[in-house]
Amino acid sequence: MFSKHPTTGGGDFQVSGKLLCFAENYPYAQTDIKANLFRIKTDLTKPSTDCSGKFRFKFNFQEWYPFSYAPPIISSIISEPSKQTITINGDSFYIDNSLVQVYFDGVKQNNINITERHVRIEVNGYNRVEAGSMSINITVNELSSEKHFIHCFSPIITSISSVSNLIGGIVTIKGSRLSSTSLTPTITIGDKQCIFIKSTTSNELECKLNPNEYGGKNLPININFGGCNSTSSVVGGGNITFSYNIPKISSGSYSNDVVTLYGSNLGSNETSIQLYVTDGSNNKININQFSVSSDEKNVTFKIPLLKCRLFNINFTRADISIYPISISAQLSVKIVNGTSSVSNGTIIIELYYIKCPITSIVGLISEMKPTIKVGIQPINECSIPSLQFPTSEYYQTICPTPFGTGVNKRFTFKYNSMTFNQLLFSYEPPNVKSCSFSRTIFENLITIHGNNFGNSISLININLNGKEINSNIRSLSNNQIILSRSDSFESGPIDIIVEHIKMKSSFYLILPPIIYGIINKDKKTLSCGGLITISGKNFNTTDEFKVNVIVNNQNTTIFKQDEKILIVRANSKDSPFNVSVFIGKDLRISNFSLKYLEPIITVVPMVKNNIYNGISIIIGGMSLSDFKNASLKISSNSTIPLECNLQCSLFPNELFYYSNPKLSSNETDFTNYTYSLSCYSNSFISETSGVFNVQFGSSSFNYDVKIEDFEFLISPSPTPSLSPSPSPSLTPLPSPSSSPSPPSSPSPSLSPSLSPSLSPSLSPSLSPSPSLSSSTSSSSSSLSNSSGNKFFTLSSGTIVGISIGCITAIFTLI
């Protein structure tokens, strides 16, 4: 039989039996014949020696006998939570990590290391925060420890609160391993049980202590989790004990003029509490108004604003004084003006609770100055904090700010050892003061003058009429932006955003005009007023960029103007017109030639014959300038000369051109030119028809007309009034032979240009007939030129109205 198994570190083992003396030649054997005992020493220096686990032993070269080394033995456990390690001390752990397995509560641990051969194993990466016992087992080369080692992770107490013995209360115990998911602790204070309430974390638990008539001091505390009792951890040694009714102030804080003292058993009767504050000047400030929480754990009160950071709180309750607690309020800063211009500026900062008094010491001035650092900019010094007045409740410093843009710029403010990293200020918003305009050989430019624009195009956003125009930026500086002016730009509000800072108000940009051209059709104008139409945009501009049109070296008069069309009236009577157009003093169009349109007669009514006033006729047309003469030839081959008065009327907002009113793809003229020629003679005739002859310059016109008696007494006027009146369209007369000839195919769009020249009574009389060429009966009068060619017919039944002076006459042709 075998006994005394050797450890993995080596040792003797014994074999007992009979006839063991024959093994005397075994190199490692010792014999004791009397006891029939045979000892063999293991030799760890032999590489072939297996020094762990089970093996076989052969005695006297006869028979193999099974044998093993001693199983692993655990003697102690050391837990180090801060390192997250468990150290296992014992023996027979061998030297090869790969042959060793460690189990905690049956769970194999993978991160092990034999730190001392055979006797010490370290398990890494293990941290147990719960209290309670743990079973540990080790297997070395398939040979397990005979007994599991039980280790207690004991609760550790570092502090305990106090309660009133009269009312009891909640006791808070702090430390570590004060919780368990499977175990409920048993807590005793002195000989009283404190009923477990909860473990808020592994570092704190609460229990309820019932009232204790006798109270007590320095009572022992124990917390037991499944047989594992607590220990105490006190700086300097000793155990944590419990005492009733001891007021305690653990800390104090200051915020917004309010001091809060934190502790326990601070009292329920405020009349038993005395509080006062002493500042750096040892001035005693009694605190008469304060508030104690219902759980007696904090007291709050307001104190006057203090300039210096250190002050003491003295607390007394029921004649029990607590050692004064000093509160060092952290430096408090307040930004007075939080904006700064882009190029330069300052921030005023108020300082409270600073280390005072501040004295100027030679050589230490730089240390007394606060510093400010904005972004990656260099550190700048602020002014030495000072009191603005002897009675000021704060110190003040002035700090410079660097060039920059944007809102909520973080800056670091440092004074002595205090650093503030979360302070914010914003730069002033961009501001536009004015705009100017210029031209290069390549493009038109807008220059925006102002400030706080920054110098980074990527940080600026420019909008005109709500549309971004950043692509037009040509250059940028803090006080000036130069933009390329696109022809698509319209006058309107300009808004600039610099790094999220918007302008306080928009700047209304009035752009200079853009001239597309003079758009009179066929480069002609009517002689009535000589209107010239200019197409473009931004005509409603400032005086600086006012469009000025010069005709034959004379100024013109504005007849009609809006953003896109400018119509001027020439004061010159000479044709052709030599037109020049200026924007301000800048010549844009020069030597543009316009001619008068040839005369066109569009309306020839009947001749009115009155026994009292003689004959009269009013014809209508366009460009009827340079009137020469007019006459009425009757069948008796006699010719009656007529006295005539030519009148020109201009009416805006009507179509001007008699053929195609669309001047271009994007412009339309707004003006109607209308002429009327009123002719009369005092002669009374008995004829019913005749030929009306009229000559304008070199152009003569002849029309067959019907003569109708008119029985009312009327007074012919040398200048009949032909006021405008909207009317349905009239079909224009075909042009008679004349020189030069008017256009061959006048459009029906001519008719609106005629109606304004007729009196209000004339328009309704013409309205029944959409065309003068239509008829309501077979009777008609022919109109012909001097060659006798017929051109147009006024049908019977056609109603014609004529205004002469203040009398309006209405006739129906029969």
Side-chain angles (χ1 to χ4, degrees):
M1 61 179 296
F2 306 102
S3 63
K4 195 180 178 182
H5 293 254
T7 67
T8 59
D12 298 341
F13 70 90
Q14 297 177 355
V15 181
S16 60
K18 296 179 179 181
L19 302 176
L20 301 181
C21 59
F22 295 105
E24 61 183 2
N25 293 323
Y26 192 84
Y28 305 108
Q30 294 180 359
T31 60
D32 188 343
I33 298 176
K34 293 181 180 181
N36 286 325
L37 183 65
F38 186 82
R39 294 187 180 90
I40 297 180
K41 293 183 179 180
T42 57
D43 186 357
L44 294 179
T45 63
K46 299 294 182 179
S48 61
T49 304
D50 185 6
C51 300
S52 66
K54 299 178 181 180
F55 60 93
R56 293 187 301 167
F57 175 78
K58 188 175 182 181
F59 181 73
N60 202 22
F61 307 101
Q62 295 293 324
E63 183 178 354
W64 290 98
Y65 296 95
F67 190 69
S68 69
Y69 281 89
I73 300 171
I74 301 173
S75 60
S76 64
I77 298 294
I78 299 174
S79 174
E80 296 181 272
S82 61
K83 297 181 180 180
Q84 295 188 344
T85 61
I86 300 291
T87 301
I88 305 174
N89 297 313
D91 202 354
S92 227
F93 296 157
Y94 194 45
I95 61 174
D96 188 350
N97 290 333
S98 64
L99 297 177
V100 178
Q101 295 87 41
V102 178
Y103 297 88
F104 289 171
D105 285 335
V107 179
K108 182 180 177 181
Q109 304 301 307
N110 296 318
N111 192 1
I112 67 170
N113 185 32
I114 299 174
T115 58
E116 186 173 344
R117 297 160 62 95
H118 306 289
V119 297
R120 182 170 293 119
I121 297 174
E122 188 175 90
V123 180
N124 296 308
Y126 186 86
N127 182 29
R128 177 157 174 163
V129 296
E130 292 189 354
S133 60
M134 182 176 74
S135 172
I136 304 174
N137 183 41
I138 298 177
T139 298
V140 178
N141 199 5
E142 300 182 357
L143 188 63
S144 299
S145 51
E146 294 178 347
K147 291 184 179 180
H148 288 204
F149 187 89
I150 304 301
H151 174 72
C152 268
F153 288 92
S154 299
I156 299 174
I157 302 172
T158 57
S159 67
I160 188 170
S161 64
S162 179
V163 296
S164 169
N165 71 302
L166 298 179
I167 61 175
I170 305 301
V171 176
T172 300
I173 302 174
K174 296 183 178 181
S176 58
R177 298 199 197 104
L178 298 179
S179 66
S180 174
T181 57
S182 59
L183 301 173
T184 300
T186 300
I187 307 164
T188 55
I189 297 177
D191 59 354
K192 302 294 182 181
Q193 184 176 6
C194 192
I195 302 171
F196 174 74
I197 298 176
K198 64 179 179 179
S199 294
T200 55
T201 66
S202 63
N203 300 322
E204 183 178 304
L205 66 76
E206 295 178 354
C207 62
K208 186 176 186 304
L209 191 61
N210 292 324
N212 183 349
E213 181 182 355
Y214 302 102
K217 293 184 179 180
N218 302 321
L219 302 175
I221 312 158
N222 184 55
I223 304 173
N224 184 287
F225 280 91
C228 295
N229 292 317
S230 60
T231 61
S232 295
S233 176
V234 182
V235 177
N239 293 321
I240 299 294
T241 60
F242 174 84
S243 296
Y244 289 97
N245 302 323
I246 301 299
K248 180 182 179 181
I249 295 178
S250 57
S251 63
S253 67
Y254 170 81
S255 177
N256 298 325
D257 301 336
V258 175
V259 172
T260 302
L261 302 178
Y262 302 94
S264 57
N265 299 316
L266 298 180
S268 58
N269 185 358
E270 296 182 3
T271 59
S272 64
I273 298 174
Q274 293 84 44
L275 276 171
Y276 64 90
V277 177
T278 56
D279 61 9
S281 303
N282 291 321
N283 294 324
K284 183 177 179 180
I285 304 172
N286 290 311
I287 306 300
N288 298 318
Q289 294 182 347
F290 50 86
S291 175
V292 182
S293 64
S294 59
D295 59 3
E296 302 182 17
K297 288 186 177 180
N298 60 67
V299 177
T300 59
F301 53 92
K302 188 172 184 179
I303 63 173
L305 187 63
L306 302 176
K307 293 185 284 289
C308 301
R309 69 181 182 183
L310 185 64
F311 55 93
N312 296 323
I313 305 295
N314 295 268
F315 181 91
T316 300
R317 171 180 173 254
D319 297 328
I320 301 175
S321 297
I322 301 175
Y323 190 80
I325 180 172
S326 294
I327 296 180
S328 179
Q330 289 189 346
L331 177 67
S332 177
V333 300
K334 179 181 178 182
I335 310 301
V336 178
N337 61 328
T339 60
S340 177
S341 66
V342 172
S343 57
N344 58 69
T346 58
I347 300 176
I348 299 176
I349 300 177
E350 295 176 356
L351 305 175
Y352 301 91
Y353 297 100
I354 70 174
K355 185 178 181 179
C356 60
I358 297 176
T359 56
S360 298
I361 302 176
V362 177
L364 296 179
I365 293 179
S366 60
E367 296 181 6
M368 299 166 56
K369 289 185 177 181
T371 60
I372 183 173
K373 186 178 188 303
V374 181
I376 61 173
Q377 299 296 324
I379 297 175
N380 288 313
E381 286 188 344
C382 306
S383 63
I384 297 176
S386 61
L387 296 173
Q388 298 304 297
F389 307 100
T391 58
S392 294
E393 297 180 344
Y394 56 85
Y395 283 82
Q396 177 178 291
T397 182
I398 301 175
C399 302
T401 55
F403 183 98
T405 59
V407 296
N408 296 330
K409 292 295 181 179
R410 295 186 182 277
F411 70 93
T412 299
F413 177 80
K414 186 175 182 179
Y415 180 58
N416 292 335
S417 61
M418 288 295 298
T419 301
F420 297 85
N421 295 312
Q422 303 301 321
L423 299 179
L424 302 174
F425 78 97
S426 297
Y427 285 97
E428 291 180 355
N431 177 43
V432 176
K433 296 181 179 178
S434 63
C435 292
S436 61
F437 305 90
S438 59
R439 297 177 65 191
T440 69
I441 60 174
F442 302 107
E443 59 186 348
N444 295 320
L445 299 176
I446 304 173
T447 301
I448 301 175
H449 306 277
N451 49 46
N452 302 324
F453 299 145
N455 58 8
S456 175
I457 294 178
S458 63
L459 297 178
I460 195 169
N461 185 275
I462 305 174
N463 293 278
L464 177 60
N465 290 313
K467 183 179 180 181
E468 182 180 311
I469 56 173
N470 276 29
S471 59
N472 293 72
I473 297 176
R474 294 295 177 265
S475 67
L476 171 67
S477 66
N478 185 49
N479 300 313
Q480 180 176 280
I481 304 170
I482 299 179
L483 300 167
S484 171
R485 176 163 59 96
S486 170
D487 286 351
S488 63
F489 285 2
E490 302 283 351
S491 297
I494 189 166
D495 294 282
I496 299 177
I497 302 173
V498 178
E499 199 173 350
H500 309 294
I501 301 183
K502 297 182 179 180
M503 295 173 58
K504 292 181 179 179
S505 60
S506 301
F507 181 87
Y508 194 88
L509 180 65
I510 301 178
L511 294 170
I514 295 175
I515 296 176
Y516 298 147
I518 298 174
I519 58 173
N520 287 56
K521 189 174 180 65
D522 300 328
K523 295 186 178 181
K524 293 185 178 181
T525 181
L526 297 178
S527 59
C528 177
L531 296 190
I532 302 169
T533 303
I534 300 170
S535 172
K537 63 189 302 184
N538 305 326
F539 287 143
N540 292 332
T541 185
T542 60
D543 290 341
E544 179 183 1
F545 300 105
K546 184 178 180 181
V547 177
N548 188 23
V549 182
I550 304 297
V551 175
N552 296 339
N553 295 320
Q554 296 183 25
N555 290 326
T556 57
T557 304
I558 295 177
F559 184 77
K560 173 68 177 180
Q561 178 177 328
D562 62 18
E563 276 291 302
K564 297 183 178 181
I565 288 292
L566 173 64
I567 302 175
V568 298
R569 185 172 186 174
N571 296 321
S572 175
K573 301 296 183 180
D574 299 327
S575 177
F577 290 169
N578 188 331
V579 183
S580 297
V581 181
F582 293 81
I583 297 179
K585 298 180 180 180
D586 188 10
L587 178 64
R588 295 302 177 89
I589 298 177
S590 63
N591 299 323
F592 188 93
S593 181
L594 289 177
K595 294 183 179 180
Y596 282 142
L597 189 69
E598 291 78 7
I600 302 171
I601 294 178
T602 56
V603 176
V604 180
M606 291 179 291
V607 176
K608 298 303 175 183
N609 189 26
N610 185 274
I611 190 172
Y612 302 105
N613 299 92
I615 58 176
S616 63
I617 186 172
I618 301 176
I619 66 171
M622 303 173 68
S623 201
L624 304 181
S625 61
D626 195 16
F627 170 74
K628 299 297 185 181
N629 58 71
S631 63
L632 179 64
K633 184 176 181 179
I634 56 179
S635 59
S636 59
N637 290 325
S638 62
T639 300
I640 302 173
L642 300 176
E643 294 185 17
C644 299
N645 190 337
L646 180 63
Q647 180 173 331
C648 169
S649 299
L650 296 174
F651 303 104
N653 302 322
E654 296 289 344
L655 294 178
F656 160 34
Y657 294 99
Y658 60 90
S659 59
N660 184 3
K662 292 291 185 180
L663 307 177
S664 65
S665 61
N666 59 348
E667 299 296 342
T668 301
D669 196 18
F670 298 99
T671 306
N672 181 343
Y673 292 68
T674 303
Y675 286 78
S676 63
L677 184 67
S678 175
C679 298
Y680 64 94
S681 172
N682 293 327
S683 302
F684 176 77
I685 59 178
S686 59
E687 303 290 337
T688 59
S689 64
V691 177
F692 176 70
N693 305 301
V694 64
Q695 184 173 355
F696 297 95
S698 61
S699 300
S700 61
F701 301 88
N702 305 303
Y703 294 97
D704 292 336
V705 294
K706 187 174 182 180
I707 301 172
E708 184 176 273
D709 292 340
F710 189 78
E711 298 180 355
F712 295 102
L713 177 64
I714 58 176
S715 299
S717 172
T719 57
S721 173
L722 300 175
S723 59
S725 175
S727 69
S729 62
L730 295 175
T731 302
L733 290 172
S735 175
S737 297
S738 61
S739 179
S741 299
S744 59
S745 301
S747 167
S749 62
L750 170 67
S751 54
S753 66
L754 300 177
S755 58
S757 66
L758 304 178
S759 67
S761 62
L762 177 60
S763 299
S765 67
L766 295 175
S767 61
S769 176
S771 172
L772 291 177
S773 62
S774 63
S775 67
T776 56
S777 69
S778 59
S779 177
S780 63
S781 297
S782 297
L783 284 74
S784 63
N785 63 3
S786 58
S787 301
N789 297 321
K790 294 184 178 181
F791 289 90
F792 202 84
T793 301
L794 293 177
S795 303
S796 60
T798 302
I799 300 175
V800 178
I802 300 176
S803 291
I804 301 178
C806 61
I807 300 177
T808 300
I810 300 175
F811 301 91
T812 302
L813 299 182
I814 56 174

